[in-house]
Every structure is written in structure tokens, then in C-alpha cells.
């Protein structure tokens, strides 16, 4: 499969996984398989303005078709669920937004993780304060239950943004999540991409996870934990490479793709090995 290369593990702790072998094993248990995708940097190229981001051409068609071939396709993203739905309006997907603080299993019905609700007022106030106190080049993205501070257009502000976020986090007992040219303030609740994935794979015997950023490592680990506990479970971690966090994410992955532009081509190849199925 040309767009892929298998993982390079210089230490040799992990057996290299062939993409074709992984897909054939997946086809045998497609009725019990879930495909997870991160959004930014995985299904869409990252841009200075997060609101302008659109999926990579070909992704919508490939994801729609994949949803007809496996039991479930889920997005696990830092974005709000409404944003994710706007990019995949008619595709039968499970959506986990804000690192799992919001979930949508049925279109139009978003469930909020209850322990995060008491943080809503504080997050509104923090977003206002960030607009006032941080330099204009920092893009403040208010997401109802979290606040993301993007410094992509002025990377030299990284230290100042981190110091401000750290101060607010310790003052209000919040969690910080670092990403690609962004730091996010989140409620201090035990919810991340790892816990979302661990929960969702409980009654599956196969899961793939595609991600590009540090927040995706927890999801990679959730697959590894399940594999260690259940030798029959098939977990496949796919790193979508990038110059910023790519090395760390790639080191934890089984398979590598060269950036978000390579994702639709890989999925089209994958579909040739996954037969269509009739969902009940
Ligand atoms: Mg990402």
C-alpha cells in the first residue's frame, strides 16, 4: 500500500505491523471494529484560523464509505461536537468533542459529561480575560467548557501564553492540554481521549486510532492497555506525521501516514480490503 510505511522501531520492542495484514485481520472482524479519528491535523490540515478549517478533499467520501464497512466510526477531537457535525453533516458517526466532555451518539442530541458542567461560567470568564490580557496575535477560541489559546500566527509568544495559562490553571484548579501551537485550559475532570476510547472499545474486539498530536497519545495508550489485557483484541495506532509533534506521536504508533493529505488515499486503499456490510 504505497502511502504507508510500517513503523520503524529501532529498539525492536514492537513487531512491525503490515498495513495489509492489519486490514485483512480487520475485515474478518469488521462487525466488531471501530475506527477512531482525531480531526485537526488528521482529517483536516491545520490553519492559522481554526474556524476556517475544512476536511481534506476526499475525506468525507472515504469516511462515509468506511462507516458502511465497519461497526462504528467515531471522531475524538478537541473541537465542540457542533463543529464536528458541521463538517460531517450527514455521515453516521459517533462524535466526541472537547476531549470527550461532549458526545453525540444520535444526531442532534449532544450529551455533556456532567462533572464538567460546573466549569461553564468560569470558562466564559476566562475567555473574556484572555481576550483582554493576551496579545492580539493570540487567537482565543471559546468552546463552552474549555478555552484554547492559539499562537500559530506568532510562535514567539509561546512562553508568554504558557505562563498565562499556567497561572490561570493553578489559580482555578484547571488542567492544561498542550497541542500544536495551542494550549488549552480544561476542567479538572478525569476525561481525555484515552478515557473516551477505553470506554468505547469495551464491547469491540478491534479498534484503529488515527491521530497527530500529543492529546492522541492517551488514546494510543488505551488501545495498548486493552491489548495487554486481551490477546484477541486488535489495536492499530496510526500516526499522521507533522513537523511539530510528529516524532513523539510517530514513536508510539504502529503505522505512519505522511500528513493529513495522505489520509484519504490510505482510506480508499483500506476500503478495497473491507467488504460492504448490511447494518442491522
Ligand atoms: Mg489533531
Amino acid at each position: 500500500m504505497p502511502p504507508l510505511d510500517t513503523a520503524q522501531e529501532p529498539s525492536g520492542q514492537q513487531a512491525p505491523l503490515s498495513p495489509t495484514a492489519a486490514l485483512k485481520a480487520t475485515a474478518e472482524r469488521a462487525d466488531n471494529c471501530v475506527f477512531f479519528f482525531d480531526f485537526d491535523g488528521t482529517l483536516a490540515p491545520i490553519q492559522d484560523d481554526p474556524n476556517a478549517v475544512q476536511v481534506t478533499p476526499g475525506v468525507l467520501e472515504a469516511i462515509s464509505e468506511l462507516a458502511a464497512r465497519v461497526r462504528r466510526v467515531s471522531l475524538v477531537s478537541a473541537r465542540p461536537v457542533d463543529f464536528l457535525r458541521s463538517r460531517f453533516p450527514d455521515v453516521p458517526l459517533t462524535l466526541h468533542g472537547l476531549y470527550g466532555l461532549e458526545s453525540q451518539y444520535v444526531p442532534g442530541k449532544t450529551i455533556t459529561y456532567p462533572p464538567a458542567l460546573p466549569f461553564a461560567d468560569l470558562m466564559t470568564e476566562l475567555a473574556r480575560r484572555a481576550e483582554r490580557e493576551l496579545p492580539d496575535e493570540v487567537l482565543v477560541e471559546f468552546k463552552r467548557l474549555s478555552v484554547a489559546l492559539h499562537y500559530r500566527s506568532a510562535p514567539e509568544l509561546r512562553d508568554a501564553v504558557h505562563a498565562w495559562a499556567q497561572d490561570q490553571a493553578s489559580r482555578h484548579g484547571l488542567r492544561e492540554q498542550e497541542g500544536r501551537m495551542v494550549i488549552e485550559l480544561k476542567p479538572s475532570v478525569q476525561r481525555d481521549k484515552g478515557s473516551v476510547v477505553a470506554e468505547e472499545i469495551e464491547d469491540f474486539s478491534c479498534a484503529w486510532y488515527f491521530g497527530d498530536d500529543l492529546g492522541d497519545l492517551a488514546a494510543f495508550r488505551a488501545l495498548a492497555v486493552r491489548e495487554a489485557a486481551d490477546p484477541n483484541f486488535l489495536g492499530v495506532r496510526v500516526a499522521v506525521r507533522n513537523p511539530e509533534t510528529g516524532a513523539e506521536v510517530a514513536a508510539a504508533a504502529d503505522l505512519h501516514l505522511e500528513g493529513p493529505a495522505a489520509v484519504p488515499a490510505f482510506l480508499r486503499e483500506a476500503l478495497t480490503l473491507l467488504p460492504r456490510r448490511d447494518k442491522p
Side-chain angles (χ1 to χ4, degrees):
M1 203 168 290
L4 268 180
D5 65 302
T6 48
Q8 302 296 308
E9 289 292 335
S11 57
Q13 321 109 326
Q14 204 179 332
L17 182 67
S18 136
T20 306
L23 285 164
K24 283 183 175 164
T26 300
E28 285 166 12
R29 53 183 97 185
D31 284 347
N32 237 329
C33 199
V34 50
F35 275 63
F36 294 102
F37 295 89
D38 164 56
F39 182 78
D40 292 279
T42 297
L43 296 182
I46 288 182
Q47 293 187 30
D48 287 349
D49 177 3
N51 296 315
V53 171
Q54 300 289 342
V55 294
T56 305
V59 154
L60 193 60
E61 298 76 5
I63 292 281
S64 303
E65 196 50 46
L66 183 64
R69 312 282 180 113
V70 296
R71 182 167 146 207
R72 189 177 296 165
V73 178
S74 291
L75 304 191
V76 189
S77 170
R79 298 281 197 161
V81 154
D82 286 350
F83 174 90
L84 298 172
R85 180 55 71 197
S86 74
R87 290 335 189 230
F88 292 91
D90 299 315
V91 187
L93 301 175
T94 296
L95 305 175
H96 298 288
L98 309 180
Y99 298 91
L101 299 183
E102 293 180 337
S103 295
Q104 192 178 92
Y105 298 92
V106 178
K109 193 172 177 212
T110 299
I111 300 161
T112 301
Y113 183 62
L117 281 170
F119 290 84
D121 290 348
L122 173 60
M123 291 300 171
T124 307
E125 170 54 27
L126 270 185
R128 282 198 201 112
R129 202 178 304 158
E131 294 279 11
R132 273 200 314 270
E133 296 179 8
L134 288 168
D136 289 347
E137 296 90 331
V138 178
L139 195 150
V140 178
E141 187 187 6
F142 172 58
K143 302 199 272 192
R144 185 170 73 96
L145 297 170
S146 65
V147 177
L149 309 169
H150 299 265
Y151 50 89
R152 180 163 294 274
S153 64
E156 69 279 8
L157 291 174
R158 180 188 184 280
D159 291 350
V161 174
H162 276 247
W164 189 90
Q166 207 162 35
D167 179 47
Q168 299 301 326
S170 60
R171 204 179 292 191
H172 301 289
L174 300 173
R175 293 175 74 183
E176 292 168 79
Q177 171 75 52
E178 187 168 4
R180 295 175 59 186
M181 306 276 185
V182 60
I183 186 153
E184 197 153 338
L185 288 164
K186 306 196 299 184
S188 51
V189 296
Q190 290 303 315
R191 190 79 171 154
D192 61 15
K193 291 185 173 188
S195 50
V196 169
V197 167
E199 204 173 277
E200 198 165 329
I201 60 179
E202 269 174 18
D203 65 338
F204 286 81
S205 63
C206 160
W208 288 59
Y209 189 99
F210 294 68
D212 73 308
D213 206 347
L214 303 176
D216 298 308
L217 292 173
F220 281 7
R221 281 194 294 274
L223 296 192
V225 166
R226 174 66 187 276
E227 280 174 311
D230 175 0
N232 293 321
F233 183 82
L234 173 68
V236 185
R237 290 149 287 257
V238 184
V240 180
R241 290 184 194 269
N242 66 83
E244 291 153 15
T245 54
E248 204 169 336
V249 178
D254 305 297
L255 306 174
H256 302 149
L257 294 174
E258 291 300 329
V263 172
F266 172 68
L267 291 178
R268 278 194 296 274
E269 290 283 341
L271 290 170
T272 65
L273 291 171
L274 296 171
R276 282 193 75 95
R277 59 193 283 274
D278 295 319
K279 290 202 173 185

